Amino acid sequence: MTEAIPMRPRTSRLPRSARRAQLLQVALEVFVEQGYHSASMDEIAERAGVSKPVLYQHFPGKLDLYLALLETSCDTVISEVKDALASTTDNRRRVQATMELWYDYVADQGAAFRLVFESDLTSDPAVRQQVDRVVEESAAAIAEVIHEDTGLPGAASHLLAVSLVGMGHVGARNWLSQDSTLTRTEAVQLVAGLAWRGIGGFPRNEDDNTQGVE
């Protein structure tokens, strides 16, 4: 007589929103560990302690699950950029706060950051759209501040904003991937100083072009 295979433990019944959040967290771990193509809905369900039908009730397919997770991660980044800009009216501190958020995001939420910026599914238009949205919406928020303070045309403000966003997330990713000897604080101070020396040189509207955007 063969030995009975024990049933895998199941999680307790959760409200739909809580279950969805739990499934997204488990999926994040699996996608980051294995990449989109190697990850399976079977393993995600297994790790979450639910049946596949339960998983499919929330997400009809693997791509749907991935896109939901990606959208959530992108929304978080964009929201934090806006929060950094709103945290002070001092532009130098705004630059500091914005750079800090990129390094915090990379260091403290490495899994989510890799999902957004190092996806192995960027050839999919829906995925590419979400990744591009992080840069575009973050830059749009920064460009609005630049335009209001300097009076630069929209196109110029946008280009400066995109450049600042790139300086933040590309620099942070390099800092993490190269296992830099610099601490996070040291790295942020360097990059924020570089960014401020550039953007701080543009005159404010109300100062008759005699002062930087301090």
Side-chain angles (χ1 to χ4, degrees), residues 105-124:
Y105 181 63
V106 166
D108 296 338
Q109 303 183 48
F113 131 74
R114 290 188 177 91
L115 182 76
V116 175
F117 290 110
E118 297 179 359
S119 171
D120 60 352
L121 198 63
T122 52
S123 59
D124 184 281

Side-chain angles (χ1 to χ4, degrees), residues 23 26-27 30-31 39-49 55 65:
L23 293 173
V26 172
V30 175
F31 283 131
S40 71
M41 295 291 271
D42 285 316
E43 180 164 359
I44 293 169
E46 180 73 31
R47 288 203 197 183
L55 178 58
L65 173 54

Side-chain angles (χ1 to χ4, degrees), residues 141-187:
I142 296 171
E144 183 176 351
V145 173
I146 293 173
H147 174 69
E148 289 176 353
D149 280 0
T150 67
L152 286 170
S157 297
H158 181 262
L159 179 59
L160 289 173
V162 169
S163 300
L164 288 172
V165 170
M167 186 182 296
H169 83 75
V170 173
R173 290 164 59 194
N174 181 266
W175 167 76
L176 182 67
S177 66
Q178 297 299 316
D179 195 23
S180 175
T181 58
L182 293 171
T183 66
R184 178 171 46 178
T185 299
E186 290 170 338

Side-chain angles (χ1 to χ4, degrees), residues 6-66:
M7 294 288 290
R8 67 192 181 202
R10 297 292 184 184
T11 58
S12 58
R13 187 174 182 84
L14 295 173
R16 184 173 180 82
S17 60
R19 176 65 74 197
R20 178 182 172 88
Q22 182 227 4
L23 293 173
L24 286 172
Q25 181 57 45
V26 172
L28 173 62
E29 296 168 2
V30 175
F31 283 131
V32 169
E33 286 175 12
Q34 303 179 14
Y36 175 82
H37 296 293
S38 297
S40 71
M41 295 291 271
D42 285 316
E43 180 164 359
I44 293 169
E46 180 73 31
R47 288 203 197 183
V50 301
S51 65
K52 281 183 68 178
V54 169
L55 178 58
Y56 281 111
Q57 284 174 10
H58 291 268
F59 305 101
K62 185 167 73 168
L63 181 58
D64 300 284
L65 173 54
Y66 188 86

